[in-house]
Amino acid sequence: MHSLSRPARAALSRLVPLLVLAGCSGEPEGQSVQPLQVAVIAAEQRDVPLFLEMVGATKGNQDVPIRARVEGFLESVDFEEGQFAEKDQLLYTIDAQPFQAKLVEAKSNLAAEQTRLAKAQADLNRIRPLAEMNAVSQQDLDGAVAQAAAAQAAVKAAEAGVELADIELGYTSIYAPIAGLIGLTQAKTGEFVGRDPNPVVLNVLSDINPIRVRFSISEREYLTLARTFMAENPGSSPTDRRDSRSRPLTLLLADGTEYPEPGFVDGSAQSIDPGTGTFTLEATFPNDRNLLLPGQFARVRAVYQTLENAIVVPRQAIVELQGRFRVYVVDADNSISVRDVQTG
C-alpha cells in the first residue's frame, strides 16, 4: 500500500531506466528517433486490509495415541491403514493366553480365600457363645475375631486380583476410543509389543473434522491483535472467546493456495513463552472433505486493520534512493515527473 499526493497513473519503475538510457544514447543527425514505449498503470483508490501472517502446522481435533497397555505378541492387525475407523472398532489383538491363565489363577486364589473366610467365620460363630458362658477365654474369642477379619480382607484382595487380571485380559483387544483417521501401524503381526525398545505406541487415531492449526505470534503481534480486539469489543478481554468469531482467519496452504473455509481462534496459551518471546494460539477450520491432514505446513492470516480509500500502486513502481521513496508519474501533458511518496 502506497500513498500519493493525488491519484495518478504510475509507470513501472523497472521500465523508466530504459527511457533514461534511450534519451542519453547518441543518434546520427537527420535520423529520427523512435519514442520508447513504457508501461503505465493507473493508481487505485480503495480499502486496503492490513494483516499479519503466522506460520503454523495442522493437527487433529483429537490425536489419540493407540498404546499397547500389556506386553505380548501381536496376533492381528484388524483395520485398514490410512482409512477411517469407527468408534469401538477392533484395531489390534495381542496374544491373550498368558492373561487368561493369570485370570484363572486369580479366580482360584479367590476361591481359596473364600474357603478360609468361611472356616474363620464358622470358628467365630462357635467360639462366641462359649465365650459368653466363660467356657473359653476372652483371648480365644479375640483370636477368632481377628482371624475372621483377616480372612475377609484376604477375600477382598483376591477379588481385586481377579478384577485386575480381567482388566489386563481386556487390554489384549485394543479398540478405537474415537472415530477418526488411523495411520500406518508401528508393529506387524508376530512382533512383541508393549515394552521398550519394542513398540508401545502402535498407531495414532485422529479426528480431523474440524481440524486445528497451532501457530505462534510474537509479543509485538500479540499486542497489535489484542488492542484491535479490545477496540472492536469494548469491555471484552483478548482472552474472551465469546467474541472471537467476529474476526475470521484465513488459512494459506503449502502450495500458496487459500483454503476456502474461514477459521476462528478457540484456544491459546496462558502466557508468553519467555524462551522464545512468542504467544501460541490454536484455531479450528472446517474440514468436511478431509483435504487437510495433521502435520501439514500452514500459514494463518489475520486482518487487524482496514485502511479506507487508500491510494495503491504496484510495489514494482516504487524507486528507493537513499531512504526516499519515489514514483514516476505521467502528467496531464504526457510528460513524466518524479513524486516523493510515503509508503504504508
Side-chain angles (χ1 to χ4, degrees):
M1 188 285 298
H2 311 285
S3 299
L4 294 173
S5 57
R6 61 184 178 84
R9 292 181 301 161
L12 293 177
S13 62
R14 65 175 180 268
L15 299 179
V16 173
L18 298 178
L19 178 63
V20 176
L21 291 176
C24 297
S25 61
E27 293 290 343
E29 294 184 6
Q31 185 175 350
S32 62
V33 178
Q34 296 296 326
L36 180 65
Q37 298 294 323
V38 295
V40 298
I41 188 170
E44 298 181 18
Q45 190 169 13
R46 54 184 169 85
D47 294 345
V48 178
L50 304 181
F51 54 82
L52 299 175
E53 279 192 2
M54 294 77 70
V55 176
T58 58
K59 56 181 299 186
N61 190 43
Q62 292 186 79
D63 294 317
V64 181
I66 306 301
R67 299 179 182 273
R69 300 181 68 175
V70 292
E71 300 176 6
F73 290 96
L74 196 62
E75 281 196 338
S76 64
V77 177
D78 304 287
F79 63 92
E80 190 172 351
E81 295 172 298
Q83 299 298 313
F84 281 88
E86 299 295 331
K87 187 178 185 300
D88 297 326
Q89 175 182 332
L90 180 64
L91 301 179
Y92 293 96
T93 302
I94 297 173
D95 181 17
Q97 288 184 354
F99 302 97
Q100 290 171 343
K102 187 182 292 187
L103 178 60
V104 171
E105 180 183 6
K107 288 182 177 180
S108 298
N109 184 48
L110 174 60
E113 295 299 338
Q114 287 173 335
T115 300
R116 292 190 186 95
L117 174 61
K119 181 180 181 304
Q121 192 66 47
D123 291 343
L124 177 60
N125 294 337
R126 178 174 52 84
I127 291 176
R128 178 167 286 144
L130 296 175
E132 292 175 354
M133 296 183 298
N134 295 322
V136 296
S137 67
Q138 184 66 35
Q139 183 178 0
D140 291 336
L141 176 61
D142 293 342
V145 171
Q147 287 182 357
Q152 189 171 13
V155 167
K156 290 184 177 180
E159 289 174 344
V162 171
E163 185 177 358
L164 178 61
D166 191 46
I167 291 173
E168 289 182 342
L169 178 60
Y171 288 157
T172 60
S173 296
I174 303 175
Y175 298 90
I178 62 170
L181 183 67
I182 194 165
L184 298 172
T185 181
Q186 300 301 308
K188 300 295 185 181
T189 302
E191 291 188 52
F192 191 85
V193 299
R195 180 177 63 196
D196 290 332
N198 301 308
V200 175
V201 177
L202 304 178
N203 217 315
V204 176
L205 189 62
S206 297
D207 175 12
I208 61 172
N209 185 28
I211 202 155
R212 301 172 73 86
V213 179
R214 178 173 291 185
F215 57 96
S216 296
I217 60 177
S218 68
E219 186 174 354
R220 186 179 217 171
E221 291 170 334
Y222 163 74
L223 292 173
T224 297
L225 294 177
R227 288 182 177 129
T228 301
F229 179 86
M230 289 188 293
E232 294 179 349
N233 302 277
S236 295
S237 165
T239 59
D240 192 346
R241 298 285 170 259
R242 291 174 297 179
D243 298 318
S244 62
R245 300 189 71 84
S246 64
R247 187 166 291 278
L249 304 175
T250 301
L251 182 63
L252 303 176
L253 304 180
D255 60 358
T257 59
E258 185 175 305
Y259 188 64
E261 299 285 345
F264 302 91
V265 172
D266 65 356
S268 64
Q270 89 286 0
S271 63
I272 303 292
D273 186 335
T276 61
T278 59
F279 185 63
T280 301
L281 300 101
E282 281 192 358
T284 55
F285 290 81
N287 192 29
D288 295 333
R289 301 184 66 181
N290 303 320
L291 172 65
L292 303 177
L293 298 175
Q296 284 183 252
F297 170 83
R299 286 179 295 153
V300 178
R301 178 179 291 172
V303 176
Y304 65 90
Q305 185 182 357
T306 300
L307 299 181
E308 298 180 353
N309 296 322
I311 299 174
V312 296
V313 297
R315 186 180 299 273
Q316 297 93 328
I318 302 297
V319 178
E320 181 181 1
L321 181 62
Q322 296 181 346
R324 298 175 64 184
F325 296 93
R326 298 176 174 181
V327 294
Y328 291 88
V329 178
V330 179
D331 292 327
D333 58 357
N334 216 26
S335 62
I336 294 177
S337 61
V338 180
R339 304 285 179 85
D340 290 334
V341 295
Q342 180 179 357
T343 59

